[in-house]
Amino acid sequence: MADTLTITDNRTGRTYEVDITDDTISAMDLRQIKVADDDFGMLSYDPGFKNTASTRSDITYIDGAAGILEYRGYPIEQLAEQSSFLEVAWLLMHGELPSQDEYDQWTYDITHHTFVHENMKDFIDGFHHDAHPMGMLVSTVGALSTFYPDAKDATDPETRHLQMTRLIAKFPTLAAFAYRHSIGWRPSYPDNELSFAGNFLNMMWKTTELRYEPDPVLAKAMDRLFILHADHEQNCSTTTMRTIGSSDADPYSAAAGAVAALYGPKHGGANEAVLRMLEEIGSVDEVPDYVQRAKDGEFRLMGFGHRVYKNFDPRAAVIKDLAHEVFEVTGKNPLIDIAVELEKIALEDDYFVDRKLYPNVDFYSGIIYQAMGFPTSMFPVLFAIGRIPGWLAQWQENLLDPEQAIARPRQVYVGERNRDFVPMSARS
Ligand code: SDX
């Protein structure tokens, strides 16, 4: 049997042979299907790209039915348990785990690129006191492009690696600076003696002490949460990063777009929305009524459902276990009882089971973040710190992929045609 698809166009009786590769057909092969010779040819129509592969990639593998997630072939459970965020960032960008020398140099490079230009402080000071930190992050990441004009030459491997290093190193700094602005505190500068996650906690929480000592359990938990968020194949924000990168825009501008896409409550903004939902439910007793209202279509259960996972999200399972480690230090967040009850009731209910709606990565992460002292508005920012290595690895893959071109989808036009202009005096 040949790896081809035979298509019969019943409008003309013609048949076409289309190659099947990796269980896909090339959309361009549909263009030969026409009624009249001067037709443009057939397109595929796929709002939200629910059934469209935009690229070949060897970065992240997801099996939504089996609840499998692997970065460069390594299971997320093993990486979360045995690796570090910087090691995973290297793995995503380079395809292999680093040698000890590579890891030491990488850690040194990241540590020594955490500072931002002092003018960035003035830029952040310009925001209103209650500006959402994601809005500040979109702006400040984009502003970084003005400090590094050399980033435009992304085809040069050394320049590209330097920009990727800068972005991974500076995301926590910009995130913490945004938070400190929102509480009216001066920024806490990076401390090069601390780990990546420990330094982030230092920039967030340092007050009058000479040197901030991050709690090792919380720093480790933060590092593992960053690992769990590091990449997730062609999600909304990664597709945005690739799309902007496809025009040869610099990686700072592309990352600003990716942060903007992640901000949405259907995507990375869901962890913030989950906490607000749990606080609105208020108690375990109120859960059944809330679930019924979701089933009635009043709203969506935030933190539930996923475009790809039609079984459990493996990240949610790891994060749920992580919560108990954090609570040993911070004290238990009472919202977890509501979350556990909500998960239990939903997973026994046909509405959710039939639609394959299970807790996703955002369902439990916010409960941990709140217990660690982060305000809900910072939750999507924490997601972005974890995801920047994945965005960059995907952006780089897109840049180097000879099959790729500037992203420019087609449309099905359903509007008016050939209308004559109507002067104002003649309009009703
Ligand atoms: C992330 O893509 C990624 O990989 C994203 C991410 C990553 O790491 O990058 O994993 C991170 O974004 C996780 C998702 C976080 N978002 C949320 O938790 C928001 C709530 N969930 C959804 O809005 C929704 O589930 C999506 C957006 C996540 C997925 O939506 P789909 O696949 O487009 O599904 P759909 O909107 O077509 O819904 C299918 C049905 C509908 O019901 P019917 O119209 O068939 O009757 O399921 C229902 C929806 O109404 N439904 C829900 C629901 N999600 C879908 N009903 C109640 N609660 C929900 N959460």
Side-chain angles (χ1 to χ4, degrees):
M1 302 288 277
D3 283 340
T4 60
L5 201 60
T6 302
I7 300 172
T8 299
D9 182 346
N10 294 316
R11 299 171 299 177
T12 61
R14 290 189 204 129
T15 60
Y16 304 85
E17 285 293 307
V18 173
D19 288 338
I20 298 173
T21 311
D22 299 325
D23 208 15
T24 64
I25 61 166
S26 166
M28 285 304 289
D29 286 347
L30 297 175
R31 287 280 291 282
Q32 61 186 310
I33 302 173
K34 301 180 181 184
V35 175
D37 288 346
D38 62 353
D39 283 354
F40 180 78
M42 187 166 283
L43 294 175
S44 64
Y45 176 61
D46 188 11
F49 310 119
K50 291 194 172 184
N51 194 49
T52 294
S54 59
T55 186
R56 296 179 194 285
S57 178
D58 58 6
I59 297 175
T60 291
Y61 174 76
I62 300 176
D63 178 333
I68 292 172
L69 170 59
E70 295 171 353
Y71 296 157
R72 298 287 190 179
Y74 294 95
I76 190 67
E77 296 82 357
Q78 291 187 33
L79 292 172
E81 186 60 35
Q82 302 176 54
S83 187
S84 71
F85 176 65
L86 288 186
E87 185 173 66
V88 166
W90 177 278
L91 172 66
L92 287 168
M93 288 162 55
H94 298 278
E96 297 297 339
L97 292 167
S99 66
Q100 188 62 56
D101 288 348
E102 286 170 334
Y103 183 68
D104 294 345
Q105 184 61 53
W106 174 233
T107 303
Y108 177 90
D109 290 345
I110 290 289
T111 302
H112 292 83
H113 278 92
T114 49
F115 272 72
V116 292
H117 193 290
E118 273 299 287
N119 287 6
M120 196 59 92
K121 269 185 32 261
D122 304 333
F123 186 57
I124 290 172
D125 285 345
F127 285 106
H128 205 258
H129 71 90
D130 60 357
H132 195 290
M134 276 299 265
M136 288 197 257
L137 189 63
V138 171
S139 315
T140 51
V141 170
L144 284 180
S145 68
T146 66
F147 291 92
Y148 306 112
D150 55 326
K152 289 185 175 25
D153 180 17
T155 55
D156 171 70
E158 277 191 32
T159 298
R160 188 166 66 243
H161 185 77
L162 175 57
Q163 313 315 324
M164 294 166 90
T165 303
R166 282 172 170 156
L167 272 160
I168 293 170
K170 294 178 196 313
F171 253 56
T173 308
L174 294 176
F177 279 24
Y179 168 71
R180 302 282 285 209
H181 171 78
S182 71
I183 59 172
W185 286 12
R186 63 186 300 279
S188 164
Y189 283 82
D191 178 343
N192 288 355
E193 299 305 310
L194 297 175
S195 69
F196 181 89
N199 179 43
F200 173 60
L201 297 179
N202 154 60
M203 294 189 288
M204 283 291 299
W205 310 128
K206 184 177 183 300
T207 54
T208 57
E209 62 273 46
L210 286 178
R211 162 158 280 174
Y212 181 81
E213 300 287 342
D215 179 286
V217 173
L218 300 186
K220 178 65 180 164
M222 197 80 252
D223 197 78
R224 291 173 72 188
L225 284 160
F226 288 149
I227 290 172
L228 291 164
H229 287 81
D231 193 51
H232 215 243
E233 57 128 292
Q234 307 312 315
N235 56 82
C236 178
S237 53
T238 296
T239 299
T240 304
M241 183 86 181
R242 281 177 171 259
T243 297
I244 297 173
S246 74
S247 74
D248 284 351
D250 68 85
Y252 302 96
S253 304
V259 173
L262 188 70
Y263 194 179
K266 277 188 173 180
H267 190 13
N271 53 19
E272 180 179 358
V274 167
L275 252 290
R276 299 194 195 287
M277 173 183 76
L278 294 175
E279 286 166 346
E280 185 184 324
I281 294 174
S283 78
V284 170
D285 299 337
E286 295 303 320
V287 170
D289 173 61
Y290 205 84
V291 168
Q292 185 54 53
R293 289 167 57 201
K295 289 168 61 179
D296 295 341
E298 266 188 59
F299 42 71
R300 289 189 166 191
L301 284 186
M302 302 314 282
F304 267 76
H306 199 280
R307 175 65 59 75
V308 177
Y309 291 122
K310 299 308 175 188
N311 198 319
F312 68 97
D313 179 334
R315 300 168 297 177
V318 177
I319 290 174
K320 191 175 177 182
D321 293 341
L322 197 54
H324 300 295
E325 282 179 38
V326 170
F327 294 164
E328 287 294 314
V329 175
T330 63
K332 180 179 168 185
N333 184 337
L335 291 180
I336 192 140
D337 294 329
I338 300 175
V340 168
E341 181 67 11
L342 186 57
E343 178 183 9
K344 175 176 167 294
I345 291 184
L347 297 192
E348 292 165 354
D349 188 298
D350 289 346
Y351 176 93
F352 298 94
V353 175
D354 293 349
R355 291 171 177 76
K356 301 184 186 307
L357 301 175
Y358 297 89
N360 57 48
V361 66
D362 292 309
F363 188 60
Y364 284 105
S365 55
I367 296 169
I368 297 178
Y369 295 148
Q370 186 179 58
M372 292 172 80
F374 293 101
T376 44
S377 59
M378 279 295 288
F379 294 1
V381 176
L382 301 176
F383 194 139
I385 296 173
R387 186 53 55 90
I388 183 66
W391 286 334
L392 289 167
Q394 299 274 354
W395 162 78
Q396 175 175 250
E397 185 176 71
N398 205 75
L399 198 71
L400 302 179
D401 181 348
E403 282 192 336
Q404 288 300 334
I406 185 166
R408 204 277 182 225
R410 315 296 303 209
Q411 65 171 14
V412 175
Y413 181 70
V414 293
E416 304 272 355
R417 293 289 320 282
N418 301 320
R419 305 170 82 186
D420 292 327
F421 185 75
V422 179
M424 187 61 79
S425 58
R427 294 175 204 167
S428 59

